[in-house]
Amino acid sequence: MLFGVGRLVCSIGKRYPFPVGVSLATLKTGGSDLSTQLLIERKDAVDRPRLVCFTLLGFLWNGMLQQHVYVNVFARCFPHAARFSALPTVAARLRDGPGLRSLMMQVSFVNFIWNPIFYYFFYLFQEFVQGASSVSEQSTSLNVLSYVSSGLTRCREQFWVAVDRCSNNLWDDLRLCWAIWIPGHLFTFATPMWLRMPLTHSLSFFFYCALSFTRGDHDGTKLRVDVEYLERLGHVS
């Protein structure tokens, strides 16, 4: 029965890679924040703006944008990627010099260019959600345009504040990111193209749990405060 379910999932993933990827990205990213709030931080009440931020982030960045870039754009920019990932064995991949170079270029691009851009987007997106959530707290009616307008206004007003927060935290953020994604992408980018995003989303769940725990609070200083606290403990001891 399990093998039958597995074959069905693979069949759906191959036939509808984009909607499956977007759905997984949305559910995974929202679920990672919810799990972090309830199981790790053990909050008495769910921080709804924070949950909305991560869920929409999963839909927009991981689902719509990243799905397109990792599969469609990479297939064009790195012409050996699809052929390399379709090779039947690990030994065949290790003998494929152009494919290995393509793999390393993809991993380098994502970790050293794409991921830093993501963090700036994330910090700005936090401001957008904060602005939109302020409308929901003041009004009981559902007005999507008001939410969007308030969020964009907040982004415009707090743009440089968010950029400054991101710049101050970027090195700490990237060290955590690279620890997960450099080995992770070496694996996921070597798998068939249709399987690339489902595997990425599976690993990404743990990344977003870490991001939620370290940067879920709007001020974005939690990780830095924790590090400084541990350093003080070290000096005291």
Side-chain angles (χ1 to χ4, degrees):
M1 181 177 179
L2 289 177
F3 288 109
V5 173
R7 285 195 296 269
L8 177 62
V9 171
C10 289
S11 175
I12 294 174
K14 289 180 179 179
R15 188 174 301 179
Y16 309 106
F18 190 79
V20 168
V22 172
S23 300
L24 285 175
T26 305
L27 294 173
K28 169 265 305 178
T29 312
S32 65
D33 176 64
L34 184 62
S35 299
T36 300
Q37 291 195 47
L38 296 180
L39 301 179
I40 299 177
E41 298 177 353
R42 298 188 180 277
K43 288 180 175 289
D44 295 329
V46 173
D47 184 339
R48 288 188 294 175
R50 172 175 158 182
L51 178 59
V52 169
C53 176
F54 276 86
T55 303
L56 290 178
L57 186 72
F59 175 75
L60 294 172
W61 182 275
N62 292 95
M64 302 297 290
L65 180 60
Q66 188 167 278
Q67 172 91 1
H68 176 68
V69 170
Y70 279 19
V71 177
N72 300 327
V73 175
F74 277 15
R76 292 194 296 269
C77 294
F78 306 102
H80 298 289
R83 178 188 54 77
F84 174 79
S85 63
L87 292 173
T89 64
V90 174
R93 290 181 174 88
L94 292 176
R95 291 193 298 267
D96 186 351
L100 287 172
R101 286 193 294 272
S102 177
L103 173 64
M104 297 306 298
M105 290 172 66
Q106 291 174 81
V107 173
S108 299
F109 173 81
V110 169
N111 282 280
F112 301 119
I113 298 177
W114 183 258
N115 285 339
I117 294 173
F118 160 76
Y119 278 107
Y120 282 98
F121 178 85
F122 170 70
Y123 280 86
L124 283 169
F125 197 69
Q126 280 186 314
E127 298 295 342
F128 174 85
V129 173
Q130 286 294 318
S133 64
S134 66
V135 174
S136 66
E137 293 171 358
Q138 299 169 7
S139 174
T140 57
S141 61
L142 178 60
N143 189 330
V144 176
L145 290 179
S146 295
Y147 292 170
V148 173
S149 176
S150 179
L152 292 176
T153 299
R154 171 88 180 198
C155 281
R156 185 176 65 253
E157 293 173 348
Q158 299 295 317
F159 179 85
W160 291 112
V161 174
V163 168
D164 186 58
R165 283 196 297 118
C166 182
S167 298
N168 290 336
N169 295 332
L170 189 59
W171 177 240
D172 289 332
D173 289 339
L174 285 175
R175 283 190 298 173
L176 176 61
C177 173
W178 291 336
I180 296 173
W181 283 120
I182 289 179
H185 283 137
L186 285 171
F187 172 71
T188 58
F189 286 166
T191 60
M193 300 298 283
W194 67 269
L195 189 57
R196 172 174 291 196
M197 291 312 298
L199 286 178
T200 298
H201 292 318
S202 299
L203 182 58
S204 182
F205 177 85
F206 300 100
F207 167 74
Y208 275 101
C209 283
L211 182 64
S212 173
F213 181 70
T214 57
R215 299 298 183 217
D217 293 337
H218 173 250
D219 61 6
T221 60
K222 185 174 182 180
L223 181 60
R224 184 171 296 279
V225 171
D226 289 347
V227 170
E228 291 175 353
Y229 175 70
L230 292 174
E231 288 177 347
R232 287 199 299 271
L233 285 180
H235 289 312
V236 171
S237 60

